[in-house]
Amino acid sequence: NAGVTQTPKFRVLKTGQSMTLLCAQDMNHEYMYWYRQDPGMGLRLIHYSVGEGTTAKGEVPDGYNVSRLKKQNFLLGLESAAPSQTSVYFCASSYSLFAGGQETQYFGPGTRLLVL
Amino acid sequence: AQTVTQSQPEMSVQEAETVTLSCTYDTSESDYYLFWYKQPPSRQMILVIRQEAYKQQNATENRFSVNFQKAAKSFSLKISDSQLGDAAMYFCAYRKTSYDKVIFGPGTSLSVIP
């Protein structure tokens, strides 16, 4: 099992450019999440999904969009990148609580994004 | 709203010694989960230990153990026999049982001195 993978690992964007971050998991998890990590602020939830075809806003959703067309993939899009979106982005997945799954989230290795 | 606080931005420990990382949280819930995650320089988040609030017994995983004080809303992590590979950022995290959103603290950077 690869677990949770993220592509790309690192990207530099200019202000106004768009890009998509891909997260994939091979554990058949229902729940998937996108976080951003900034110095001194821990991880903040951007968007999450409780199943294929569903998405919901987290703590800091503005400027981002997501899609969950397939259960194993969760895409994070930046339509018009801003310097404030310079951060490290983490994807995570977990079993569904309602299926009696574990409370543990499994994280990907992160994507470092620099917006100039 | 729930919050998680880690009051020690940086800590250091001598190799083979013991270190305790502090975490406090605020919640009005009676049932919830608490976690400690480790983030080494590779940046991947690794679950170290978790604690269910309804369990009075403190969780233990090999050299890692917690001191869970529910009334005080305190959840500290003790690392015994510290190793160089323990050097990392450590995040305390909280989650309500009924909602799968995890709230993270700001993190504590742990250095291990050879």
PDB file of all heavy atoms in Angstrom, chain B residues 21 32 45-47 49 56 66-67 72 78 80 102:
ATOM      1  N   LEU B  21       6.201  17.035  26.683  1.00  0.00           N
ATOM      2  CA  LEU B  21       5.626  18.117  25.882  1.00  0.00           C
ATOM      3  C   LEU B  21       4.214  18.396  26.383  1.00  0.00           C
ATOM      4  O   LEU B  21       3.430  17.471  26.587  1.00  0.00           O
ATOM      5  CB  LEU B  21       5.591  17.733  24.396  1.00  0.00           C
ATOM      6  CG  LEU B  21       6.894  17.222  23.789  1.00  0.00           C
ATOM      7  CD1 LEU B  21       6.710  16.979  22.297  1.00  0.00           C
ATOM      8  CD2 LEU B  21       8.038  18.177  24.036  1.00  0.00           C
ATOM      9  N   TYR B  32     -14.536  12.698  23.467  1.00  0.00           N
ATOM     10  CA  TYR B  32     -13.716  13.188  22.363  1.00  0.00           C
ATOM     11  C   TYR B  32     -12.436  12.368  22.292  1.00  0.00           C
ATOM     12  O   TYR B  32     -12.206  11.478  23.116  1.00  0.00           O
ATOM     13  CB  TYR B  32     -13.384  14.680  22.532  1.00  0.00           C
ATOM     14  CG  TYR B  32     -12.888  15.053  23.910  1.00  0.00           C
ATOM     15  CD1 TYR B  32     -11.536  14.976  24.232  1.00  0.00           C
ATOM     16  CD2 TYR B  32     -13.781  15.486  24.887  1.00  0.00           C
ATOM     17  CE1 TYR B  32     -11.089  15.310  25.493  1.00  0.00           C
ATOM     18  CE2 TYR B  32     -13.333  15.815  26.160  1.00  0.00           C
ATOM     19  CZ  TYR B  32     -11.983  15.726  26.459  1.00  0.00           C
ATOM     20  OH  TYR B  32     -11.541  16.045  27.712  1.00  0.00           O
ATOM     21  N   MET B  45       3.179  13.646   8.342  1.00  0.00           N
ATOM     22  CA  MET B  45       2.586  13.592   9.677  1.00  0.00           C
ATOM     23  C   MET B  45       2.415  12.127  10.090  1.00  0.00           C
ATOM     24  O   MET B  45       1.843  11.337   9.365  1.00  0.00           O
ATOM     25  CB  MET B  45       1.231  14.277   9.686  1.00  0.00           C
ATOM     26  CG  MET B  45       1.281  15.748   9.383  1.00  0.00           C
ATOM     27  SD  MET B  45       1.857  16.693  10.780  1.00  0.00           S
ATOM     28  CE  MET B  45       0.375  16.768  11.750  1.00  0.00           C
ATOM     29  N   ILE B  46       2.913  11.809  11.256  1.00  0.00           N
ATOM     30  CA  ILE B  46       2.877  10.432  11.746  1.00  0.00           C
ATOM     31  C   ILE B  46       2.166  10.398  13.080  1.00  0.00           C
ATOM     32  O   ILE B  46       2.527  11.141  13.997  1.00  0.00           O
ATOM     33  CB  ILE B  46       4.312   9.885  11.908  1.00  0.00           C
ATOM     34  CG1 ILE B  46       5.072   9.978  10.586  1.00  0.00           C
ATOM     35  CG2 ILE B  46       4.284   8.440  12.411  1.00  0.00           C
ATOM     36  CD1 ILE B  46       6.555   9.822  10.725  1.00  0.00           C
ATOM     37  N   LEU B  47       1.156   9.547  13.186  1.00  0.00           N
ATOM     38  CA  LEU B  47       0.453   9.422  14.453  1.00  0.00           C
ATOM     39  C   LEU B  47       1.347   8.740  15.470  1.00  0.00           C
ATOM     40  O   LEU B  47       1.882   7.665  15.229  1.00  0.00           O
ATOM     41  CB  LEU B  47      -0.833   8.620  14.271  1.00  0.00           C
ATOM     42  CG  LEU B  47      -1.637   8.391  15.554  1.00  0.00           C
ATOM     43  CD1 LEU B  47      -2.241   9.713  16.021  1.00  0.00           C
ATOM     44  CD2 LEU B  47      -2.724   7.359  15.312  1.00  0.00           C
ATOM     45  N   ILE B  49       0.381   8.689  19.117  1.00  0.00           N
ATOM     46  CA  ILE B  49      -0.426   8.092  20.173  1.00  0.00           C
ATOM     47  C   ILE B  49      -1.789   8.763  20.187  1.00  0.00           C
ATOM     48  O   ILE B  49      -1.917   9.909  19.760  1.00  0.00           O
ATOM     49  CB  ILE B  49       0.292   8.248  21.532  1.00  0.00           C
ATOM     50  CG1 ILE B  49      -0.228   7.262  22.573  1.00  0.00           C
ATOM     51  CG2 ILE B  49       0.230   9.684  22.025  1.00  0.00           C
ATOM     52  CD1 ILE B  49       0.670   7.151  23.785  1.00  0.00           C
ATOM     53  N   GLN B  56     -10.016   6.261  31.351  1.00  0.00           N
ATOM     54  CA  GLN B  56      -9.230   6.894  32.404  1.00  0.00           C
ATOM     55  C   GLN B  56      -7.755   6.506  32.318  1.00  0.00           C
ATOM     56  O   GLN B  56      -6.885   7.260  32.735  1.00  0.00           O
ATOM     57  CB  GLN B  56      -9.783   6.507  33.760  1.00  0.00           C
ATOM     58  CG  GLN B  56     -11.194   7.029  33.992  1.00  0.00           C
ATOM     59  CD  GLN B  56     -11.540   7.144  35.456  1.00  0.00           C
ATOM     60  OE1 GLN B  56     -10.776   6.710  36.301  1.00  0.00           O
ATOM     61  NE2 GLN B  56     -12.676   7.716  35.741  1.00  0.00           N
ATOM     62  N   VAL B  66       1.243   9.210  27.579  1.00  0.00           N
ATOM     63  CA  VAL B  66       0.569  10.475  27.811  1.00  0.00           C
ATOM     64  C   VAL B  66       0.128  10.565  29.262  1.00  0.00           C
ATOM     65  O   VAL B  66      -0.054   9.569  29.944  1.00  0.00           O
ATOM     66  CB  VAL B  66      -0.642  10.664  26.876  1.00  0.00           C
ATOM     67  CG1 VAL B  66      -0.198  10.718  25.429  1.00  0.00           C
ATOM     68  CG2 VAL B  66      -1.685   9.599  27.112  1.00  0.00           C
ATOM     69  N   ASN B  67      -0.039  11.802  29.700  1.00  0.00           N
ATOM     70  CA  ASN B  67      -0.654  12.089  30.997  1.00  0.00           C
ATOM     71  C   ASN B  67      -1.925  12.874  30.692  1.00  0.00           C
ATOM     72  O   ASN B  67      -1.869  14.067  30.380  1.00  0.00           O
ATOM     73  CB  ASN B  67       0.291  12.886  31.889  1.00  0.00           C
ATOM     74  CG  ASN B  67      -0.309  13.138  33.265  1.00  0.00           C
ATOM     75  OD1 ASN B  67      -1.381  12.614  33.607  1.00  0.00           O
ATOM     76  ND2 ASN B  67       0.370  13.927  34.068  1.00  0.00           N
ATOM     77  N   ALA B  72      -8.610  18.941  34.078  1.00  0.00           N
ATOM     78  CA  ALA B  72      -7.723  20.076  33.809  1.00  0.00           C
ATOM     79  C   ALA B  72      -7.603  20.354  32.318  1.00  0.00           C
ATOM     80  O   ALA B  72      -6.975  21.351  31.931  1.00  0.00           O
ATOM     81  CB  ALA B  72      -6.350  19.815  34.398  1.00  0.00           C
ATOM     82  N   LYS B  78       4.946  12.245  27.059  1.00  0.00           N
ATOM     83  CA  LYS B  78       6.253  11.952  27.632  1.00  0.00           C
ATOM     84  C   LYS B  78       7.003  11.010  26.706  1.00  0.00           C
ATOM     85  O   LYS B  78       6.478   9.970  26.298  1.00  0.00           O
ATOM     86  CB  LYS B  78       6.114  11.318  29.012  1.00  0.00           C
ATOM     87  CG  LYS B  78       7.468  11.099  29.704  1.00  0.00           C
ATOM     88  CD  LYS B  78       7.319  10.679  31.149  1.00  0.00           C
ATOM     89  CE  LYS B  78       7.121   9.197  31.286  1.00  0.00           C
ATOM     90  NZ  LYS B  78       7.202   8.751  32.691  1.00  0.00           N
ATOM     91  N   SER B  80      10.327   8.810  26.600  1.00  0.00           N
ATOM     92  CA  SER B  80      11.384   8.230  27.433  1.00  0.00           C
ATOM     93  C   SER B  80      12.528   7.746  26.555  1.00  0.00           C
ATOM     94  O   SER B  80      12.324   7.423  25.382  1.00  0.00           O
ATOM     95  CB  SER B  80      10.832   7.056  28.234  1.00  0.00           C
ATOM     96  OG  SER B  80       9.727   7.446  29.005  1.00  0.00           O
ATOM     97  N   VAL B 102     -10.420  17.448  12.772  1.00  0.00           N
ATOM     98  CA  VAL B 102      -9.351  17.457  13.770  1.00  0.00           C
ATOM     99  C   VAL B 102      -8.846  18.885  13.942  1.00  0.00           C
ATOM    100  O   VAL B 102      -8.610  19.584  12.960  1.00  0.00           O
ATOM    101  CB  VAL B 102      -8.199  16.534  13.336  1.00  0.00           C
ATOM    102  CG1 VAL B 102      -7.072  16.587  14.358  1.00  0.00           C
ATOM    103  CG2 VAL B 102      -8.699  15.107  13.191  1.00  0.00           C
TER     104      VAL B 102
END
